[in-house]
Amino acid sequence: MTHSRLPAALEPAHLGPILADAQIEQALTTAELVPGFIGQDRAKSALAFAIGMDMPGYNLYVMGEPALGRFTLVQDILQHAAAEKATPMEWCYLNNFEDERVPNTLRLLPGDGRLLVKKLEALIDELLDTFPAAFDNPGYQRKKKAIARQFDDKYEQAIERVEKTALEKKVVLYEDNGAVSFSPIIDGKPLDDSEFSKMTDEQRQYFYSLVSELETVLNDALLELPRWKRELSENLRTLRKETIEQAIKPMLKEMEHDYSTELGVLKYLKEMRPHLVKAVLELLPDESDSEKQEEIDSREIFVEEFVPNVLVHHETMSGAPIIFEPNPSYGNLFGRVEYNSSSGALYTNYRMIRPGALHKANGGYLILDADRLLSQASVWDALKLALKSGEVVIDTLSEHAVTNSTIITPRAIPLNVKVVLLGSRDLYYLVQEVDEEFNELFRVLADFEHYLPYNEQTLSYMSRQIQLQMQQLNINQLTRCGLRQLLQFSFRQAEHQRKLSARFADVLELVREACYYAAQNDSDCLNESHVQQALQGKQHRTGRISEGFLEDIQEGQILIDTEGLAIGKINGLTVLEIGDTAFGTPARVSATVFAGSSGVIDIEREVELGKAIHSKGVLLLTGYLGAKYARQFPLTLCANIAMEQSYGHIDGDSASLAEVCALISAITDIPIKQSLAVTGSINQHGQVQAIGGVNEKIEGFFRLCQSRGLTGEQGVIIPASNQLNLVLRAEVIAAVAEQKFHIYVVKTVDEALSLLTGEDAGEMNRRGQYPKKSVNGRAMQRLAEIAELVNGSLDE
């Protein structure tokens, strides 16, 4: 019998990326020469296209996971585009003097809003300085006295006529503080009360009748007094109004001249004029008042009624705005109307309208978190409506408004904004499926890669960003070994020997932690030891659970052998992910086989602990066994496969290679080396396929073997296609270099069986037979015996 050649163990050079000293040195020396954001060319092209398509519907969805530099790249590209765009117009809300519940809008050139507010506030200050001082003018006082004199003359003439009539009847008329009274005259002099009381009843009755008659005459004479008073008030009011108009006219004339080309402002000034006069007439007294508090209150009232509410101020030539709204609630996005309370009641006006992110980004770009936005259905619907209609409306009549008070309905403002959504891949495809309007509004997709190209430009870019981060933390120098270790971490994050991870934020986080240890050691440079300290520190902080698993195995509570031989038992490799921590740990896979026709039973699936992909991997075993061995007889067996001492849900098919090897061991009674652990998935043709988390799985078994003592026989078997994903820790590579630990790569199940059993797997000849003493030959013979035992002889 000829033995097939066993796969050789990998050399240390195959266990991680190769970083030459010359590359590291060049990355350090050329760091300052690197341009902006490196990599993500596909996303850059999409961003440039979306910005260039200045048409409705070409909003952008940026797809990718957090920490890929999405926000940094988007902001960088938008800043360049925004600098070349014109500064958008400013929008104001104005008091609608005809209907205060519906404030008017006013569009102004950039910077003019703040200027208009200052001029109107200056106008109000000038009015407060002018009035009531303007009423002290001699001309005004003279006219006021003339109007008062007309009233006094009419009154005096009426009183004189009554007095003349009274004297004719021997009665004198008295006037005291506006009160008129009568007294009889005897012997040429008026009587006082004591003298009047001494008169006879007849005389008193006569004078009572006479006074009553004179009061009737007085009432007839003063019948027009209310009208005279009204005329007096109207004339005085008219005089005050004319005085106010004359004082305000030059002030407004100056403003009208300044805004002669702004029709909207001219219209507002024209509408404001009569109401401004009315406000001065009602609020400001016609005599000087020294109480400053009243002046302050008056100014606030004038400001609240006449000064525009500029929603967003723009500096001239500042370019288009870029707004990021981290919490896209309805109020934050569309604006809100605030309320004040007075005497237990709520009130509001146009001055209490507050802008939202759409107002601030109008004419520019708005960046939103898609997950937060789409979790609020009503906000998402409102945003779609705003983008389709081209208007932003502050909804004060829905559940977003305060309904137990005065409601104002601000007019809509035209909207021209490019929306950029930052979201995940799964969310993008979900929204596409459930929302038909999504593709109409977000026609451009910027898809972010998980990897950065491994080239000189990328290395220099990463070196520059690392050094910039260090400078912020007062660490001045980055050593070659320090940069090498940081790049090694990025390769590890990418799980690839030729690609760097696009999650550069993780590298910067490691830099910050390493700088902490450098500062603790009073070092001005960042070297390999500081990076190692940071990595070990994080592993220690998050490693309680992984250390607990290792202790359970050491104490024998979890049964894992790393020496000897066993039938139907094999060490599989698993990765546990808890929060942001992932670590590898071995798990025993066992298989039993006996006569029967139930087929291969996945115990994890039967007890509902195995999820879909894991169950699929087990079901593939039946296809593999049938195609491999049962071409000339029916595949008949009863086999149970289990992940021993597993009490949680299991998913993934990376245990299928270990399961098929354990199953064949149980079928053939050939023992398996417990010093080797296995990971990999298979297909129905026996080819071994790549799996994830290969580095964590290898290191998990290595830690167990190291804790028990490395014998030189221990190692792991992984798919050959995963060799490119190896970025192992230095201690594992060192053990491999010393021949104390081995890593084998296999392409087929037969190669794995040869390594695990130490026997030839056997190749099929032209007659469809395997060598009798090979693993495959013995498996075929045993399966044929079980089929005959269960089904009987084919001859029968």
Side-chain angles (χ1 to χ4, degrees), residues 16-31 34 453-464 466-467 478-485 487-488 491 497-500:
I18 303 299
L19 284 170
D21 290 339
Q23 289 178 301
I24 301 294
E25 187 64 35
Q26 185 175 11
L28 288 170
T29 55
T30 60
V34 180
Y454 174 41
N455 53 39
E456 294 177 359
Q457 192 178 34
T458 305
L459 294 182
S460 298
Y461 170 77
M462 293 184 68
S463 174
R464 179 188 179 188
I466 290 169
Q467 292 182 63
L478 176 64
T479 64
R480 281 183 296 178
C481 63
L483 178 58
R484 181 192 297 275
Q485 192 66 39
L487 293 173
Q488 189 84 2
F491 281 116
Q497 295 180 358
R498 299 175 189 169
K499 295 178 182 178
L500 292 161

Side-chain angles (χ1 to χ4, degrees), residues 323-325 327-336 354-361 366-368 373 376 378-380 382-384 386 392-394 415 419:
I323 302 298
F324 171 61
E325 178 50 61
N327 180 26
S329 63
Y330 188 91
N332 290 345
L333 204 56
F334 292 91
R336 62 176 63 84
R354 298 293 176 258
L358 283 171
H359 297 97
K360 298 173 185 176
L366 176 61
I367 306 172
L368 299 173
L373 173 66
Q376 306 174 75
S378 59
V379 180
W380 170 241
L383 178 62
K384 290 190 296 182
V392 55
V393 180
I394 301 177
L415 179 65
V419 178

Side-chain angles (χ1 to χ4, degrees), residues 18 43 60 66 117 130 219 274 303 325 407 428 447 746 748:
I18 303 299
L60 181 69
V117 169
T130 303
N219 289 336
V303 169
E325 178 50 61
I407 298 297
Y428 175 76
D447 192 355
V746 296
T748 64

Side-chain angles (χ1 to χ4, degrees), residues 73 272 466 525 641 750 788:
L73 177 59
M272 181 183 74
I466 290 169
C525 63
I641 296 178
D750 286 349
E788 183 177 352

Side-chain angles (χ1 to χ4, degrees), residues 95 140 211 221 250 376 401 482 694 723 771:
N95 191 2
Y140 172 82
V211 168
Q376 306 174 75
V694 64
Q723 181 178 337

Side-chain angles (χ1 to χ4, degrees), residues 225-509:
L225 183 62
R227 182 173 64 82
W228 298 339
K229 289 186 176 181
R230 285 198 304 272
E231 289 178 353
L232 172 65
S233 298
E234 289 173 2
N235 290 337
L236 289 174
R237 186 178 182 85
T238 301
L239 175 61
R240 292 185 66 206
K241 184 177 180 182
E242 290 175 350
T243 305
I244 295 169
E245 287 177 343
Q246 290 176 0
I248 289 178
K249 185 176 181 180
M251 304 178 194
L252 292 178
K253 196 72 175 178
E254 183 179 352
M255 287 197 65
E256 290 172 353
H257 179 268
D258 293 339
Y259 290 95
S260 58
T261 58
E262 295 287 345
L263 297 180
V265 178
L266 292 177
K267 179 182 178 183
Y268 177 65
L269 293 176
K270 182 179 179 181
E271 294 174 352
M272 181 183 74
R273 182 192 297 267
H275 297 276
L276 187 61
V277 172
K278 180 181 178 183
V280 175
L281 194 62
E282 294 177 351
L283 297 176
L284 299 182
D286 59 355
E287 295 180 1
S288 298
D289 191 346
S290 60
E291 294 186 9
K292 191 174 182 180
Q293 183 63 36
E294 291 188 8
E295 181 181 335
I296 295 175
D297 293 342
S298 299
R299 187 182 191 281
E300 290 180 357
I301 295 173
F302 276 99
V303 169
E304 289 295 316
E305 188 168 356
F306 298 107
V307 176
N309 176 13
V310 184
L311 289 183
V312 182
H313 295 282
H314 294 298
E315 299 296 334
T316 308
M317 304 297 291
S318 61
I322 303 172
I323 302 298
F324 171 61
E325 178 50 61
N327 180 26
S329 63
Y330 188 91
N332 290 345
L333 204 56
F334 292 91
R336 62 176 63 84
V337 177
E338 295 180 347
Y339 293 82
N340 280 336
S341 62
S342 178
S343 302
L346 296 177
Y347 71 92
T348 187
N349 60 19
Y350 76 102
R351 295 273 301 175
M352 298 184 191
I353 301 173
R354 298 293 176 258
L358 283 171
H359 297 97
K360 298 173 185 176
N362 201 2
Y365 307 95
L366 176 61
I367 306 172
L368 299 173
D369 186 305
D371 295 85
R372 293 179 182 270
L373 173 66
L374 293 168
S375 64
Q376 306 174 75
S378 59
V379 180
W380 170 241
D381 289 338
L383 178 62
K384 290 190 296 182
L385 180 61
L387 293 176
K388 292 179 73 173
S389 64
E391 291 182 338
V392 55
V393 180
I394 301 177
D395 185 3
T396 59
L397 301 177
S398 68
E399 66 273 11
H400 308 291
V402 178
T403 56
N404 60 341
S405 64
T406 302
I407 298 297
I408 64 173
T409 308
R411 297 186 188 275
I413 291 178
L415 179 65
N416 177 25
V417 67
K418 186 81 69 175
V419 178
V420 179
L421 293 183
L422 305 179
S424 64
R425 191 177 305 275
D426 293 341
L427 181 62
Y428 175 76
Y429 294 118
L430 175 63
V431 179
Q432 267 196 329
E433 182 179 348
V434 301
D435 194 332
E436 297 179 353
E437 296 176 305
F438 180 74
N439 284 335
E440 298 178 15
L441 297 173
F442 292 86
R443 300 171 188 253
V444 185
L445 171 66
D447 192 355
F448 270 64
E449 303 284 352
H450 290 85
Y451 307 104
L452 292 176
Y454 174 41
N455 53 39
E456 294 177 359
Q457 192 178 34
T458 305
L459 294 182
S460 298
Y461 170 77
M462 293 184 68
S463 174
R464 179 188 179 188
Q465 296 301 320
I466 290 169
Q467 292 182 63
L468 289 174
Q469 181 70 68
M470 291 169 51
Q471 290 172 10
Q472 296 178 9
L473 300 170
N474 300 320
I475 304 296
N476 298 322
Q477 185 180 354
L478 176 64
T479 64
R480 281 183 296 178
C481 63
L483 178 58
R484 181 192 297 275
Q485 192 66 39
L486 291 168
L487 293 173
Q488 189 84 2
F489 173 79
S490 185
F491 281 116
R492 171 86 174 201
Q493 292 291 94
E495 289 191 344
H496 205 285
Q497 295 180 358
R498 299 175 189 169
K499 295 178 182 178
L500 292 161
S501 173
R503 291 177 59 89
F504 193 61
D506 293 342
V507 178
L508 295 180
E509 179 184 348

Side-chain angles (χ1 to χ4, degrees), residues 655-668:
S656 56
L657 175 59
E659 290 167 342
V660 74
C661 291
L663 184 59
I664 293 174
S665 171
I667 292 171
T668 61

